[in-house]
Amino acid sequence: ALGRPVLVGSGTPAEELAQDDAALQVATKREAVSEATRELLEDTGRRERLGTRARTVALRDYGAARMAQAYEAVYDELCA
């Protein structure tokens, strides 16, 4: 939500953040993370676009109101 680019590991629970181009998915290998980080440091436009998209998706899908609705739906389902 801070408008910063985010790297997420392939095959991890955080991988879903890469949907909608809200994060950059990379292999969970040191070399892959290093390479992705280097590329983002060198490409200001890409870094800014990824950060902007990350903020948009975070506020849309993970804001307090949205998360409260999601938890309420789970509780309603469990108590039904």
Side-chain angles (χ1 to χ4, degrees), residues 25-36:
Q25 180 180 332
V26 297
T28 54
K29 305 283 185 204
R30 181 179 341 163
E31 298 80 17
V33 173
S34 295
E35 178 66 18

Side-chain angles (χ1 to χ4, degrees), residues 10-53:
S10 298
T12 68
E15 185 178 46
E16 72 181 74
L17 297 173
Q19 297 172 359
D20 296 327
D21 297 320
L24 183 60
Q25 180 180 332
V26 297
T28 54
K29 305 283 185 204
R30 181 179 341 163
E31 298 80 17
V33 173
S34 295
E35 178 66 18
T37 301
R38 184 188 60 73
E39 289 175 3
L40 284 175
L41 288 171
E42 292 176 354
D43 189 341
T44 302
R46 184 175 184 209
R47 188 172 62 243
E48 289 175 355
R49 285 188 303 276
L50 186 59
T52 298
R53 184 67 183 150

